[in-house]
Amino acid sequence: MDPCEVEFLSEKELVSIVPNFSFDTIHLISGSVGPFRAGLPVKVPIWLAVNLKQQQKCRIINQDWMDADSLNEAKEEEKLSKLFTKMPSNHYMEEAQLLLNVASDDISDADRIKTAIKDIWDIRMSKLRTSIDAFLKSEGLHAKLDHLTAMEINSVRPLLPHALDQMLRIQTVCVFYKIISK
Amino acid sequence: MKQPLASTQPYVPLRLRRTQKPYEAEIGIEHLSFGTLHLTSFYTVLYSISNHNPTCWSSTEKFLITNNFLCEISNMENNGDVQMTAEDDVQEEEEVTAQSVLLAIEEAWLNEKFAPEILPHRSDLVDCMLQQITHMEENMKRLDKEDLRLMIHRMELDRIKYVITNYLRARLEKIEKYTIHILSQEATRSSEECYLTVAELQFAKEFLANIEMLFKTIALQHMPGNFQTFEVDTLTVKPNLQAYVFLRANDRINGIIVPGSMDEEIDLEPGSQHIIQYSAVADLVKSGAVKLI
């Protein structure tokens, strides 16, 4: 899957905004949003928040978890844990990217948040690579991938299933030749 | 990471919609030209639901779908007229929201995208969503050009259309790749449990006929007599059901036997994520107990 499709999926997540206009509830097919009252926070999907922000019709409020200190804590925890820890959102990378890109003026500490997210991503990706390596060497047939987020799974999609498919092909051929040579 | 798409750019399907009418999703026109031979295959999937009166719509997003309403649409697809009996009318009313249909379509889209084989069609969802879109577009015509809602609704519709067209296109790609295999499988299924919609089945048959014609005109007719037959069996491409897939469990499932192992069994917790061979979970994907991610 294309990374922008993963991002497309992440844009369904909700985020709080403070609109600077007033409007009644809007009935979207995917659910109703609003009512919008100038100055009062309201939850909308990210795609809408980004669009309103680009038109300068709102201010985006940080996701609760997008806070430099708690992210740094999560980073330390991720470093210490052998397994993957649970992330605050299944789309943490994409959400952070989208919101920080469009609303870095609304979010205090944007730089520290960005660094923390990037660090977490790096730690998790290297962990992922190591475990995939171990998994392939052990010739496993099944693996549990709890707490892996959508973007992380997508980033190993071109490699991991393909490698396993190829291993299966080689094994099948080996078995076939063993039978023949007997 | 790639630069994210700005949300002002609508997720408009790329090589799609040559017609102006919003309810007609045209899936592609392809010209194959080989030297002197020109084959034009038109494959269009038209959802002509425009004549249908949207009685099920209420002013909010809640509405009713009756099963025979869906039958009605498929009947219209089949033979152009509506066959409905009075008894069916009262039976099995199912109340769903547009939101739940949308979520179901998104799940069907991802499943279709990641499953190696073609899955049972969900034209009920697609038809229902297209109806919603048509209705919403009608509503939008009444809005003032300056209205804030116009832009928001349009963006949402573009997002939904992207999902639907991508879903239909994923199916068409599989049909083109595994035409012969799918057609032979489909022949063994009864009309209730068939995997393809009527339009897709027709497309698959025409596609195969066109390939056969192409082969014959270009090469086979110039071959010596005993090589001239179009050998369907040798051309069959089968999906690799042993491909590995990522999945997330919706329900608790016990005792899936891992293929290739001696007798290793695994249990899936709701919400847990796994990578495993598709053949082990194919039935669960079709029943909706797990979803591919």
Side-chain angles (χ1 to χ4, degrees):
Chain A
M1 189 156 72
D2 215 13
C4 39
E5 279 174 313
V6 184
E7 195 178 274
F8 175 82
L9 290 172
S10 78
E11 284 173 344
K12 283 194 314 183
E13 303 285 327
L14 298 180
V15 63
S16 295
I17 59 166
V18 179
N20 57 15
F21 61 95
S22 294
F23 208 88
D24 283 339
T25 307
I26 300 176
H27 299 288
L28 295 174
I29 292 178
S30 53
S32 305
V33 293
F36 299 90
R37 294 281 165 266
L40 288 180
V42 56
K43 280 210 177 267
V44 297
I46 291 182
W47 58 266
L48 182 55
V50 168
N51 187 268
L52 290 175
K53 173 70 189 172
Q54 280 168 342
Q55 297 179 58
Q56 301 184 340
K57 283 193 159 77
C58 76
R59 190 161 59 80
I60 291 180
I61 302 179
N62 256 2
Q63 299 286 46
D64 295 335
W65 51 268
M66 269 174 63
D67 159 66
D69 292 331
S70 60
L71 280 174
N72 279 325
E73 260 169 50
K75 185 173 100 183
E76 293 307 318
E77 204 183 318
E78 187 69 57
K79 256 188 210 162
L80 294 175
S81 164
K82 260 190 87 177
L83 300 168
F84 290 94
T85 55
K86 187 161 170 35
M87 281 289 111
S89 156
N90 190 29
H91 294 283
Y92 74 98
M93 189 68 184
E94 306 90 293
E95 280 179 46
Q97 176 87 7
L98 280 166
L99 297 181
L100 289 173
N101 251 352
V102 72
S104 49
D105 50 335
D106 294 343
I107 298 170
S108 57
D109 261 1
D111 285 341
R112 278 183 67 209
I113 295 174
K114 223 178 229 175
T115 324
I117 297 255
K118 183 81 175 72
D119 287 348
I120 294 178
W121 171 264
D122 287 344
I123 296 170
R124 287 173 67 93
M125 283 311 281
S126 79
K127 217 186 255 185
L128 186 57
R129 277 192 288 269
T130 330
S131 48
I132 286 179
D133 190 45
F135 175 59
L136 286 180
K137 280 183 180 145
S138 70
E139 299 192 357
L141 294 161
H142 156 260
K144 221 167 162 211
L145 306 162
D146 280 356
H147 303 328
L148 272 183
T149 62
M151 194 58 108
E152 287 158 354
I153 287 180
N154 198 53
S155 68
V156 294
R157 197 189 303 283
L159 187 66
L160 179 57
H162 189 63
L164 288 168
D165 290 349
Q166 296 300 330
M167 275 169 58
L168 188 76
R169 281 180 66 183
I170 294 170
Q171 278 163 8
T172 326
V173 172
C174 288
V175 171
F176 180 68
Y177 275 106
K178 260 183 208 159
I179 293 170
I180 287 193
S181 61
K182 263 178 195 169
Chain B
M1 199 170 138
K2 272 174 76 173
Q3 191 68 20
L5 277 175
S7 291
T8 40
Q9 291 175 352
Y11 287 89
V12 180
L14 299 176
R15 34 159 205 164
L16 200 86
R17 281 196 285 134
R18 294 165 62 87
T19 51
Q20 294 297 309
K21 297 173 192 166
Y23 46 83
E24 291 181 350
E26 186 171 349
I27 308 295
I29 295 178
E30 221 159 80
H31 292 266
L32 304 169
S33 109
F34 293 92
T36 53
L37 177 85
H38 294 276
L39 261 184
T40 310
S41 62
F42 290 88
Y43 24 100
T44 48
V45 180
L46 294 179
Y47 293 91
S48 46
I49 51 171
S50 59
N51 299 329
H52 186 76
N53 181 24
T55 44
C56 305
W57 174 266
S58 65
S59 59
T60 60
E61 76 273 23
K62 275 222 162 185
F63 65 101
L64 288 168
I65 305 173
T66 59
N67 273 354
N68 52 31
F69 158 62
L70 296 173
C71 294
E72 191 183 332
I73 292 180
S74 56
N75 279 336
M76 284 163 72
E77 254 187 317
N78 289 348
N79 43 26
D81 68 10
V82 180
Q83 297 165 348
M84 195 161 59
T85 52
E87 306 96 273
D88 290 345
D89 214 5
V90 264
Q91 281 171 3
E92 293 184 53
E93 255 187 16
E94 193 187 345
E95 194 177 341
V96 287
T97 59
Q99 195 177 5
S100 63
V101 176
L102 185 60
L103 287 177
I105 265 200
E106 278 168 359
E107 196 173 314
W109 169 49
L110 292 179
N111 281 346
E112 195 68 63
K113 220 173 157 62
F114 299 134
E117 64 168 344
I118 197 153
L119 299 175
H121 72 83
R122 301 302 308 270
S123 63
D124 50 342
L125 299 176
V126 173
D127 289 338
C128 171
M129 217 11 118
L130 287 174
Q131 166 117 22
Q132 287 287 300
I133 292 176
T134 318
H135 190 89
M136 189 60 98
E137 277 173 343
E138 288 299 315
N139 281 354
M140 279 160 61
K141 278 183 195 149
R142 291 203 297 273
L143 289 179
D144 187 32
K145 282 243 158 41
E146 300 294 304
D147 200 315
L148 178 75
R149 280 175 294 179
L150 195 65
M151 177 270 305
I152 293 176
H153 282 305
R154 187 164 296 148
M155 267 178 68
E156 196 201 19
L157 290 188
D158 284 335
R159 290 175 64 84
I160 298 172
K161 280 181 192 165
Y162 174 78
V163 172
I164 296 178
T165 50
N166 211 304
Y167 169 69
L168 292 175
R169 196 175 296 143
R171 291 181 63 84
L172 283 183
E173 268 166 24
K174 282 185 196 170
I175 293 174
E176 287 188 10
K177 206 165 166 189
Y178 310 123
T179 324
I180 301 167
H181 178 72
I182 289 176
L183 280 175
S184 66
Q185 295 264 302
E186 201 65 8
T188 63
R189 294 187 188 112
S190 67
S191 59
E192 285 97 54
E193 57 185 19
C194 57
Y195 282 12
L196 301 187
T197 63
V198 179
E200 282 169 341
L201 187 65
Q202 192 195 349
F203 166 68
K205 284 180 179 156
E206 279 174 15
F207 186 76
L208 182 61
N210 283 347
I211 288 188
E212 188 175 346
M213 175 137 96
L214 175 71
F215 274 47
K216 283 202 169 133
T217 340
I218 282 194
L220 289 175
Q221 60 169 348
H222 305 296
M223 295 279 176
N226 50 346
F227 293 108
Q228 281 194 0
T229 44
F230 180 73
E231 289 174 21
V232 170
D233 292 343
T234 53
L235 288 167
T236 307
V237 184
K238 283 186 184 164
N240 175 17
L241 296 183
Q242 291 174 324
Y244 279 81
V245 289
F246 295 101
L247 65 93
R248 184 179 300 135
N250 289 337
D251 311 325
R252 165 181 292 277
I253 302 137
N254 292 327
I256 296 178
I257 296 169
V258 180
S261 65
M262 295 318 270
D263 48 4
E264 198 183 326
E265 282 191 12
I266 52 159
D267 299 335
L268 308 184
E269 302 283 327
S272 62
Q273 305 181 133
H274 304 263
I275 178 169
I276 196 168
Q277 275 186 29
Y278 176 74
S279 55
V281 292
D283 291 338
L284 299 171
V285 172
K286 285 167 198 165
S287 71
V290 302
K291 58 179 168 191
L292 303 181
I293 49 172

